[in-house]
Amino acid sequence: MPTVTAPYVETQQVVTGFMYQLHIAEDENGPGITRLDIGPYYFPGAPPQIKYPEAVTNEMCPPSWQAVRWFTDEAGASWLRWQGGRLLSEDGEQIFQLTSNYPSSSSGASLQVWRGNSKSSERYSITAPDYSQTPPQINPRHDVIGKGTTFVKGNGCAPAIALGLITIAAIAMRHFV
């Protein structure tokens, strides 16, 4: 039976958290990849009131696929899921990309690849977000203050405007002296 090739993940820290880039391809004469699940993760709450630790950001997936989303199965396990059209061998290597606030870990979660109309999946060990850690203290994607605005945060814009006017006045005085 044809196998899936190139199921590996590249991880890098970016301004908005951690970027996970999954590379995968269907082998020649394969039935086609139809779903990708990363997990299982276990969170508090019973379906449908599961408390997910974050809303991951879908950065890239093939055009006929849905953006990554959380899914909880009937057993209570949660998965990050991409689902969509059939990826065939002639499509070549495909890239699925998401951003998470959580750093990676090589243990725990795995990649489940669903192919064709199969009722079973193939499991691969990958690097994935580690949701067993405590949540990050600062969430850079939702930090509305930003690091560049701490100068004017406490007193509004008045000090910045005053400094600008003083600088302009000093430059103007140089021309008149």
Side-chain angles (χ1 to χ4, degrees), residues 20-22 35-36 67 85 93 100 116 147 151 154 175:
Y20 296 88
Q21 191 173 69
L22 169 66
R35 187 172 92 197
L36 301 171
E93 184 176 272
S100 170
K147 295 182 188 231
F151 176 73
H175 290 300

Side-chain angles (χ1 to χ4, degrees), residues 4-5 7 73 79 84 89 106 155 163 170:
V4 172
T5 58
D73 64 21
W79 304 81
S89 61
S106 298
N155 300 316
L163 181 61

Side-chain angles (χ1 to χ4, degrees), residues 118-133:
S118 176
K119 301 288 185 212
S120 63
S121 63
E122 297 171 36
R123 181 180 180 274
Y124 298 91
S125 295
I126 62 165
T127 300
D130 184 1
Y131 293 109
S132 66
Q133 299 181 23

Side-chain angles (χ1 to χ4, degrees), residues 4-11 20-24 36-41 79 104-113 121-129:
V4 172
T5 58
Y8 68 95
V9 175
E10 293 179 20
T11 306
Y20 296 88
Q21 191 173 69
L22 169 66
H23 300 253
I24 194 163
L36 301 171
D37 292 337
I38 299 174
Y41 296 106
W79 304 81
S104 63
S105 172
S106 298
S107 59
S110 62
L111 173 68
Q112 303 282 78
V113 178
S121 63
E122 297 171 36
R123 181 180 180 274
Y124 298 91
S125 295
I126 62 165
T127 300

